Amino acid sequence: MSHGGTEHTAEEDKGGLRTALAGLTTRGRSFLAAGVAAAICAYVLGQSDLLRVGLLLAVLPLVCATVLYRTRYRVAGSRRLSPGRVPAGSEARVHLRMENVSRLSTGLLMLQDRVPYVLGPRPRFVLDRVEAGGRREVSYRVRSDLRGRYPLGPLQLRLTDPFGMCELTRSFSTYDTLTVIPRVEALPPVRLTGEAKGYGDGRQRSLALAGEDDIIPRGYRYGDDLRRVHWRLTARYGELMVRREEQPQRSRCTVLLDTRGVAFRGAGPDSAFEWAVSGAASTLVHMLERGFSVRLLTDTGSSVPGEGAEGFTGASQESADAAGMMMDTLAVIDHSDGTGLSPAYDVLRGGNEGLLIAFLGDLDEEQASVLGKMRQRSGGAVAFLLDSESWVREPSDVSGPLDRSEDRLRMLRDAGWTAVTVPRGVTLAELWREADRLRTHMVSTGTTTGGGGI
């Protein structure tokens, strides 16, 4: 995926000589100071030869500054990100292109791009003379272990004279944004769904119409199967018409992400909260690939996507757009100020939610009770419970947190959840299979019913 670059033109500012003198380098200032000192000494000592040397030393940086400042040329620059959205820990390449759009050749150009420190060191390039109408292309890599949205730019050009006496900086006004999304882990297909109706893997499509007389035709679209062409209606309307025989309903899945600040401890890419965010992202991608209509729900009650039928995704193209929207949301999601899960339950009160998959932090009895009510509004429910205290403690001192985790697991399972705890260092794929085994055991013992493939 390539991100369209921005383009802007840098040109010399129309200021006075003061701007040029402010760009004198250390070498240029030294030459100017030495020239003035030599001229003063020549005047005091009456040495004309020393005066000529002093004038030469003083005039050289002034001439270089004036020539550099009065050089009229325009340079256009563009930036392209490849890709513009990248998972945490992966690299993106930034392509820079400079083009001389004036009739004069440029001198030596030093190109510098501004990047946040989390993406790496600030890239700098030296471009040799660029002929009139010529262009130069350079690139550099950026990488971040922390998700987020990071601005790149603006570009800066540093112009210098051949003697290194003066240096002027010209900036472009535009910048681009690199989106670092959570890591996405491939998940194995298992059977975790409950009683959700519709289709995904393990779901059969229901015929919407009983016979040919009930067929609702529509115009032919590129890619339609020619076997679905209704020739009699085509002859009647004078254009290709196809049968619309199936009106499948997509199975629904709601991914609940607990973002309460009081429910998580620790920070950084290896914290419990970052694992939960990455787990939610992996689940969203997996469920979309399995043919589900998916939405992301947080403890605050906010839902992504927020539009469409009851907040779920629609057709395949809409699903792709919704996936990008949810990944962008997870890239910048942070802890909420809330203390409970009631706002999320209010969103689920309508029922018919399909499968509910939750990534939860620390829970108390009240929040476990709210989750029990959520279970009643879904066809199936899977919970991944993170005890953040066990993530920040040493492995040899986790007896207390484990006891509390067992109590919370028992409360959720009694309410009908397929709940598993998340130890530090375990992948989501392993827990995904464990949840499948647990659900199979619950079905065999009569604790829960229903099934379907995800």
Side-chain angles (χ1 to χ4, degrees), residues 121-142:
R122 180 171 297 182
R124 294 180 174 88
F125 304 93
V126 177
L127 303 181
D128 203 353
R129 174 181 174 274
V130 182
E131 64 279 5
R135 64 182 61 180
R136 299 290 186 271
E137 295 187 2
V138 294
S139 65
Y140 64 93
R141 296 179 180 180
V142 290

Side-chain angles (χ1 to χ4, degrees), residues 78-212:
S78 64
R79 181 191 298 105
R80 180 171 57 89
L81 308 182
S82 178
R85 183 188 291 122
V86 63
S90 300
E91 289 185 343
R93 182 171 288 275
V94 184
H95 302 268
L96 303 177
R97 186 178 69 175
M98 307 303 298
E99 183 176 1
N100 183 10
V101 296
S102 66
R103 297 180 179 179
L104 300 176
S105 299
T106 70
L108 188 66
L109 300 179
M110 288 178 285
L111 181 64
Q112 176 177 278
D113 203 7
R114 291 185 178 180
V115 300
Y117 72 94
V118 296
L119 297 183
R122 180 171 297 182
R124 294 180 174 88
F125 304 93
V126 177
L127 303 181
D128 203 353
R129 174 181 174 274
V130 182
E131 64 279 5
R135 64 182 61 180
R136 299 290 186 271
E137 295 187 2
V138 294
S139 65
Y140 64 93
R141 296 179 180 180
V142 290
R143 179 182 181 274
S144 174
D145 291 328
L146 299 175
R147 56 186 175 81
R149 292 173 62 86
Y150 301 102
L152 301 178
L155 276 171
Q156 287 186 332
L157 274 178
R158 297 170 63 187
L159 317 175
T160 184
D161 65 279
F163 300 100
M165 298 291 179
C166 185
E167 184 178 273
L168 298 180
T169 301
R170 297 289 178 259
S171 296
F172 296 82
S173 61
T174 56
Y175 65 91
D176 290 280
T177 301
L178 175 68
T179 302
V180 180
I181 62 176
R183 294 182 177 90
V184 176
E185 181 180 351
L187 302 179
V190 297
R191 300 178 62 84
L192 290 176
T193 58
E195 301 167 354
K197 297 180 179 180
Y199 75 86
D201 275 19
R203 294 292 168 218
Q204 294 183 352
R205 304 186 182 194
S206 58
L207 291 179
L209 305 169
E212 188 169 311

Side-chain angles (χ1 to χ4, degrees), residues 256-335:
L256 173 62
L257 176 61
D258 185 3
T259 63
R260 296 172 298 140
V262 297
F264 294 93
R265 297 185 183 181
D270 296 327
S271 64
F273 180 68
E274 291 301 321
W275 192 98
V277 174
S278 178
S282 302
T283 302
L284 290 168
V285 172
H286 177 76
M287 300 306 291
L288 285 171
E289 291 176 349
R290 306 299 290 184
F292 282 72
S293 288
V294 180
R295 71 173 172 184
L296 171 66
L297 182 66
T298 67
D299 58 288
T300 62
S302 60
S303 178
V304 180
E307 300 178 358
E310 301 181 22
F312 287 87
T313 58
S316 58
Q317 181 59 42
E318 295 175 356
S319 297
D321 296 339
M325 187 185 306
M326 289 185 285
M327 290 298 105
D328 289 344
T329 299
L330 290 176
V332 297
I333 201 167
D334 202 353
H335 293 294

